[in-house]
mmCIF file with all atom_site columns, all heavy atoms in Angstrom:
data_model
loop_
_atom_site.group_PDB
_atom_site.id
_atom_site.type_symbol
_atom_site.label_atom_id
_atom_site.label_alt_id
_atom_site.label_comp_id
_atom_site.label_asym_id
_atom_site.label_entity_id
_atom_site.label_seq_id
_atom_site.pdbx_PDB_ins_code
_atom_site.Cartn_x
_atom_site.Cartn_y
_atom_site.Cartn_z
_atom_site.occupancy
_atom_site.B_iso_or_equiv
_atom_site.pdbx_formal_charge
_atom_site.auth_seq_id
_atom_site.auth_comp_id
_atom_site.auth_asym_id
_atom_site.auth_atom_id
_atom_site.pdbx_PDB_model_num
ATOM 1  N N   . ALA A 1 349 ? -88.130 -43.983 160.541 1.00 36.00 ? 349 ALA A N   1
ATOM 2  C CA  . ALA A 1 349 ? -88.781 -45.286 160.433 1.00 36.00 ? 349 ALA A CA  1
ATOM 3  C C   . ALA A 1 349 ? -90.169 -45.219 161.042 1.00 36.00 ? 349 ALA A C   1
ATOM 4  O O   . ALA A 1 349 ? -90.350 -44.736 162.146 1.00 36.00 ? 349 ALA A O   1
ATOM 5  C CB  . ALA A 1 349 ? -87.955 -46.360 161.146 1.00 36.00 ? 349 ALA A CB  1
ATOM 6  N N   . ALA A 1 350 ? -91.167 -45.701 160.313 1.00 34.00 ? 350 ALA A N   1
ATOM 7  C CA  . ALA A 1 350 ? -92.524 -45.704 160.829 1.00 34.00 ? 350 ALA A CA  1
ATOM 8  C C   . ALA A 1 350 ? -92.686 -46.782 161.885 1.00 34.00 ? 350 ALA A C   1
ATOM 9  O O   . ALA A 1 350 ? -92.003 -47.797 161.867 1.00 34.00 ? 350 ALA A O   1
ATOM 10 C CB  . ALA A 1 350 ? -93.507 -45.953 159.689 1.00 34.00 ? 350 ALA A CB  1
ATOM 11 N N   . ASN A 1 351 ? -93.609 -46.540 162.833 1.00 36.00 ? 351 ASN A N   1
ATOM 12 C CA  . ASN A 1 351 ? -93.917 -47.562 163.831 1.00 36.00 ? 351 ASN A CA  1
ATOM 13 C C   . ASN A 1 351 ? -94.873 -48.554 163.201 1.00 36.00 ? 351 ASN A C   1
ATOM 14 O O   . ASN A 1 351 ? -96.086 -48.372 163.220 1.00 36.00 ? 351 ASN A O   1
ATOM 15 C CB  . ASN A 1 351 ? -94.548 -46.916 165.074 1.00 36.00 ? 351 ASN A CB  1
ATOM 16 C CG  . ASN A 1 351 ? -94.711 -47.919 166.205 1.00 36.00 ? 351 ASN A CG  1
ATOM 17 O OD1 . ASN A 1 351 ? -94.517 -49.114 166.027 1.00 36.00 ? 351 ASN A OD1 1
ATOM 18 N ND2 . ASN A 1 351 ? -95.070 -47.430 167.371 1.00 36.00 ? 351 ASN A ND2 1
ATOM 19 N N   . ILE A 1 352 ? -94.320 -49.613 162.592 1.00 35.00 ? 352 ILE A N   1
ATOM 20 C CA  . ILE A 1 352 ? -95.122 -50.585 161.870 1.00 35.00 ? 352 ILE A CA  1
ATOM 21 C C   . ILE A 1 352 ? -95.938 -51.425 162.843 1.00 35.00 ? 352 ILE A C   1
ATOM 22 O O   . ILE A 1 352 ? -97.110 -51.673 162.654 1.00 35.00 ? 352 ILE A O   1
ATOM 23 C CB  . ILE A 1 352 ? -94.217 -51.472 160.994 1.00 35.00 ? 352 ILE A CB  1
ATOM 24 C CG1 . ILE A 1 352 ? -93.504 -50.585 159.962 1.00 35.00 ? 352 ILE A CG1 1
ATOM 25 C CG2 . ILE A 1 352 ? -95.023 -52.558 160.303 1.00 35.00 ? 352 ILE A CG2 1
ATOM 26 C CD1 . ILE A 1 352 ? -92.436 -51.306 159.189 1.00 35.00 ? 352 ILE A CD1 1
ATOM 27 N N   . LYS A 1 353 ? -95.321 -51.883 163.910 1.00 39.00 ? 353 LYS A N   1
ATOM 28 C CA  . LYS A 1 353 ? -96.044 -52.638 164.925 1.00 39.00 ? 353 LYS A CA  1
ATOM 29 C C   . LYS A 1 353 ? -95.177 -52.676 166.178 1.00 39.00 ? 353 LYS A C   1
ATOM 30 O O   . LYS A 1 353 ? -93.956 -52.581 166.109 1.00 39.00 ? 353 LYS A O   1
ATOM 31 C CB  . LYS A 1 353 ? -96.354 -54.062 164.453 1.00 39.00 ? 353 LYS A CB  1
ATOM 32 C CG  . LYS A 1 353 ? -95.120 -54.884 164.055 1.00 39.00 ? 353 LYS A CG  1
ATOM 33 C CD  . LYS A 1 353 ? -95.535 -56.186 163.410 1.00 39.00 ? 353 LYS A CD  1
ATOM 34 C CE  . LYS A 1 353 ? -94.306 -56.957 162.926 1.00 39.00 ? 353 LYS A CE  1
ATOM 35 N NZ  . LYS A 1 353 ? -94.674 -58.191 162.221 1.00 39.00 ? 353 LYS A NZ  1
ATOM 36 N N   . SER A 1 354 ? -95.817 -52.812 167.315 1.00 42.00 ? 354 SER A N   1
ATOM 37 C CA  . SER A 1 354 ? -95.068 -52.894 168.564 1.00 42.00 ? 354 SER A CA  1
ATOM 38 C C   . SER A 1 354 ? -94.604 -54.316 168.794 1.00 42.00 ? 354 SER A C   1
ATOM 39 O O   . SER A 1 354 ? -95.388 -55.256 168.658 1.00 42.00 ? 354 SER A O   1
ATOM 40 C CB  . SER A 1 354 ? -95.940 -52.450 169.745 1.00 42.00 ? 354 SER A CB  1
ATOM 41 O OG  . SER A 1 354 ? -96.212 -51.074 169.676 1.00 42.00 ? 354 SER A OG  1
ATOM 42 N N   . HIS A 1 355 ? -93.336 -54.492 169.108 1.00 43.00 ? 355 HIS A N   1
ATOM 43 C CA  . HIS A 1 355 ? -92.844 -55.809 169.499 1.00 43.00 ? 355 HIS A CA  1
ATOM 44 C C   . HIS A 1 355 ? -92.902 -55.876 171.019 1.00 43.00 ? 355 HIS A C   1
ATOM 45 O O   . HIS A 1 355 ? -92.590 -54.910 171.707 1.00 43.00 ? 355 HIS A O   1
ATOM 46 C CB  . HIS A 1 355 ? -91.407 -56.007 168.997 1.00 43.00 ? 355 HIS A CB  1
ATOM 47 C CG  . HIS A 1 355 ? -91.357 -56.198 167.521 1.00 43.00 ? 355 HIS A CG  1
ATOM 48 N ND1 . HIS A 1 355 ? -91.303 -57.438 166.921 1.00 43.00 ? 355 HIS A ND1 1
ATOM 49 C CD2 . HIS A 1 355 ? -91.396 -55.301 166.510 1.00 43.00 ? 355 HIS A CD2 1
ATOM 50 C CE1 . HIS A 1 355 ? -91.289 -57.297 165.607 1.00 43.00 ? 355 HIS A CE1 1
ATOM 51 N NE2 . HIS A 1 355 ? -91.336 -56.010 165.337 1.00 43.00 ? 355 HIS A NE2 1
ATOM 52 N N   . HIS A 1 356 ? -93.302 -57.040 171.532 1.00 43.00 ? 356 HIS A N   1
ATOM 53 C CA  . HIS A 1 356 ? -93.517 -57.127 172.975 1.00 43.00 ? 356 HIS A CA  1
ATOM 54 C C   . HIS A 1 356 ? -92.249 -56.829 173.753 1.00 43.00 ? 356 HIS A C   1
ATOM 55 O O   . HIS A 1 356 ? -92.292 -56.413 174.903 1.00 43.00 ? 356 HIS A O   1
ATOM 56 C CB  . HIS A 1 356 ? -94.063 -58.512 173.362 1.00 43.00 ? 356 HIS A CB  1
ATOM 57 C CG  . HIS A 1 356 ? -93.017 -59.576 173.428 1.00 43.00 ? 356 HIS A CG  1
ATOM 58 N ND1 . HIS A 1 356 ? -92.547 -60.199 172.302 1.00 43.00 ? 356 HIS A ND1 1
ATOM 59 C CD2 . HIS A 1 356 ? -92.339 -60.103 174.482 1.00 43.00 ? 356 HIS A CD2 1
ATOM 60 C CE1 . HIS A 1 356 ? -91.618 -61.089 172.667 1.00 43.00 ? 356 HIS A CE1 1
ATOM 61 N NE2 . HIS A 1 356 ? -91.479 -61.058 173.962 1.00 43.00 ? 356 HIS A NE2 1
ATOM 62 N N   . ASN A 1 357 ? -91.097 -56.992 173.141 1.00 49.00 ? 357 ASN A N   1
ATOM 63 C CA  . ASN A 1 357 ? -89.853 -56.728 173.860 1.00 49.00 ? 357 ASN A CA  1
ATOM 64 C C   . ASN A 1 357 ? -89.217 -55.411 173.461 1.00 49.00 ? 357 ASN A C   1
ATOM 65 O O   . ASN A 1 357 ? -88.082 -55.148 173.766 1.00 49.00 ? 357 ASN A O   1
ATOM 66 C CB  . ASN A 1 357 ? -88.845 -57.871 173.620 1.00 49.00 ? 357 ASN A CB  1
ATOM 67 C CG  . ASN A 1 357 ? -88.593 -58.118 172.143 1.00 49.00 ? 357 ASN A CG  1
ATOM 68 O OD1 . ASN A 1 357 ? -89.322 -57.629 171.295 1.00 49.00 ? 357 ASN A OD1 1
ATOM 69 N ND2 . ASN A 1 357 ? -87.556 -58.879 171.850 1.00 49.00 ? 357 ASN A ND2 1
ATOM 70 N N   . VAL A 1 358 ? -89.976 -54.543 172.745 1.00 40.00 ? 358 VAL A N   1
ATOM 71 C CA  . VAL A 1 358 ? -89.462 -53.212 172.426 1.00 40.00 ? 358 VAL A CA  1
ATOM 72 C C   . VAL A 1 358 ? -90.524 -52.175 172.755 1.00 40.00 ? 358 VAL A C   1
ATOM 73 O O   . VAL A 1 358 ? -90.449 -51.476 173.737 1.00 40.00 ? 358 VAL A O   1
ATOM 74 C CB  . VAL A 1 358 ? -89.063 -53.097 170.934 1.00 40.00 ? 358 VAL A CB  1
ATOM 75 C CG1 . VAL A 1 358 ? -88.499 -51.713 170.656 1.00 40.00 ? 358 VAL A CG1 1
ATOM 76 C CG2 . VAL A 1 358 ? -88.022 -54.143 170.582 1.00 40.00 ? 358 VAL A CG2 1
ATOM 77 N N   . GLY A 1 359 ? -91.541 -52.081 171.908 1.00 41.00 ? 359 GLY A N   1
ATOM 78 C CA  . GLY A 1 359 ? -92.527 -51.028 172.072 1.00 41.00 ? 359 GLY A CA  1
ATOM 79 C C   . GLY A 1 359 ? -93.616 -51.354 173.063 1.00 41.00 ? 359 GLY A C   1
ATOM 80 O O   . GLY A 1 359 ? -94.417 -50.493 173.397 1.00 41.00 ? 359 GLY A O   1
ATOM 81 N N   . GLY A 1 360 ? -93.707 -52.594 173.546 1.00 45.00 ? 360 GLY A N   1
ATOM 82 C CA  . GLY A 1 360 ? -94.800 -52.972 174.403 1.00 45.00 ? 360 GLY A CA  1
ATOM 83 C C   . GLY A 1 360 ? -94.459 -53.013 175.878 1.00 45.00 ? 360 GLY A C   1
ATOM 84 O O   . GLY A 1 360 ? -95.245 -53.474 176.679 1.00 45.00 ? 360 GLY A O   1
#
Side-chain angles (χ1 to χ4, degrees):
N351 188 351
I352 298 171
K353 58 189 176 183
S354 292
H355 288 263
H356 79 280
N357 55 347
V358 182

